[in-house]
Amino acid sequence: MGPVDPGNRPERSVLVRTPATSANLGPGFDSLGLALSLYDDVEVALTGDGVSIEVDGEGAEVADRGERHLIVKVLRRTFDVLDDLAAAGPGQPAGQPKGVRLRCRNRIPHSRGLGSSSAAIVAGIVAARALHPHGDLMDDVAALRLATDIEGHPDNVAPCLAGGLTIAWTTPDGARLVRLEPQVRQVVAFVPEQRLATERARGLLPETVPHADAAANAGRAALLVAALSGGLGDGVLLDATEDRLHQNYRAPAMPESAELVERLRSAGVPAVISGAGPTVLAFTNASRVDSMAPRVGNGWHEHPLDVATRGACVVPGEPGRRS
């Protein structure tokens, strides 16, 4: 559907806040995810013409992509989906806005395994739901399925949308999630300077794995859900975060991260590769970081973080927000 005439439609804007996420969490490959208290803020405005993008922080190098910017593409795709839903129901399609203005304040590191692309995808969907006149026609299940279709996997988009600890899976009808309230409240992310493309990390995975490794991961993933949601302590959590499916295979692409995981785990700290890496996530708190310094070494940015209990949301009280 083509753009509508904005003459009778004043400029509208929303501010969307999306959390960082850590997927896999060790054995929960492509299924477990945790929302973290590191946020991107994206102001999206519908304007009369053109695409304007301002980026403060991570991702400034892609600010000139215009219609090819990920958030703009997701926003427009979501508008199309909502127009289809409106046309099939009692509403009238709104059409594509002629212009879009983005103002992004990005704090989530890019290409580090903390869900930056999922945060952008979710920001576009949440903004479109808030700005489209029939945004309420897309429920949370439909939003998850759209986000998963765009991202390719549900493990990062699920906690970004729902907050907390999520278990996500796919069915013939699309992605689903269950949200749990984790008893683990704090983690520390060790973020390196270098980036790693998710596609490169995924490309190192074998087509098949030994049956014993698959069975071990199934048991560890079940134990991890119990440990995170039941507060079973570091001893159980150390066992629960053991992985045999992906971290060792990806180690050649991020040897420093793999070595840090081993150093921390040998000291009794439950540590894993965050998502596809190279960030290392340790299930510990800020007060223990100083004692870990000799094992961590140089070259890492330490981010003590809380588990984010709330997922992506429109920040209330912003000028131009639709009620």
Side-chain angles (χ1 to χ4, degrees), residues 12 26 51 76 78 84 87 132 134 201 221 231 235 237 251 264 267 279 288 290 298 313 319:
R12 292 172 291 156
V51 175
R76 292 201 180 281
T78 309
D84 289 343
H132 193 284
H134 302 293
L237 198 53
L264 292 174
T279 291
R288 195 175 175 186
D290 290 341
N298 299 321
C313 63

Side-chain angles (χ1 to χ4, degrees), residues 1 3 19 38 43 53 70 89 108 117 129 144 146 153 155 194 207 215 249 254 261-262 268 275 310:
M1 179 169 295
L38 184 65
E43 182 186 356
I53 302 173
L70 181 57
I108 304 172
S117 63
R129 290 172 73 185
L144 171 66
L146 177 59
H153 302 90
D155 48 346
Q194 70 271 19
E207 291 292 330
Y249 296 109
M254 45 182 154
V261 168
E262 289 305 312
R310 186 176 185 183

Side-chain angles (χ1 to χ4, degrees), residues 50-217:
V51 175
S52 171
I53 302 173
E54 300 174 18
V55 178
D56 177 21
E58 293 279 337
E61 70 277 5
V62 299
D64 61 350
R65 288 187 176 176
E67 292 284 354
R68 296 182 296 112
H69 192 279
L70 181 57
I71 296 177
V72 176
K73 291 195 296 184
V74 173
L75 181 83
R76 292 201 180 281
R77 179 166 171 179
T78 309
F79 257 71
D80 284 340
V81 172
L82 287 167
D83 274 353
D84 289 343
L85 292 172
Q92 292 295 319
Q96 287 286 346
K98 283 187 174 181
V100 176
R101 185 181 72 242
L102 298 184
R103 291 175 178 165
C104 308
R105 185 173 184 185
N106 295 338
R107 305 175 184 88
I108 304 172
H110 283 200
S111 300
R112 303 301 208 294
L114 288 170
S116 59
S117 63
S118 290
I121 290 167
V122 169
I125 293 173
V126 171
R129 290 172 73 185
L131 291 167
H132 193 284
H134 302 293
D136 56 355
L137 294 177
M138 178 179 288
D139 61 17
D140 291 343
V141 173
L144 171 66
R145 291 178 178 176
L146 177 59
T148 301
D149 286 345
I150 297 170
E151 172 67 10
H153 302 90
D155 48 346
N156 277 113
V157 295
C160 190
L161 282 164
L165 170 67
T166 58
I167 307 170
W169 69 100
T170 56
T171 73
D173 295 324
R176 300 283 304 277
L177 74 81
V178 169
R179 183 193 183 281
L180 301 174
E181 194 66 48
Q183 297 304 305
V184 173
R185 296 296 185 185
Q186 292 184 318
V187 298
V188 178
F190 297 97
V191 183
E193 289 288 346
Q194 70 271 19
R195 297 183 176 190
L196 177 63
T198 300
E199 294 79 7
R200 181 187 173 199
R202 189 169 287 274
L204 295 172
L205 300 179
E207 291 292 330
T208 61
V209 296
H211 186 277
D213 289 347
N217 259 58

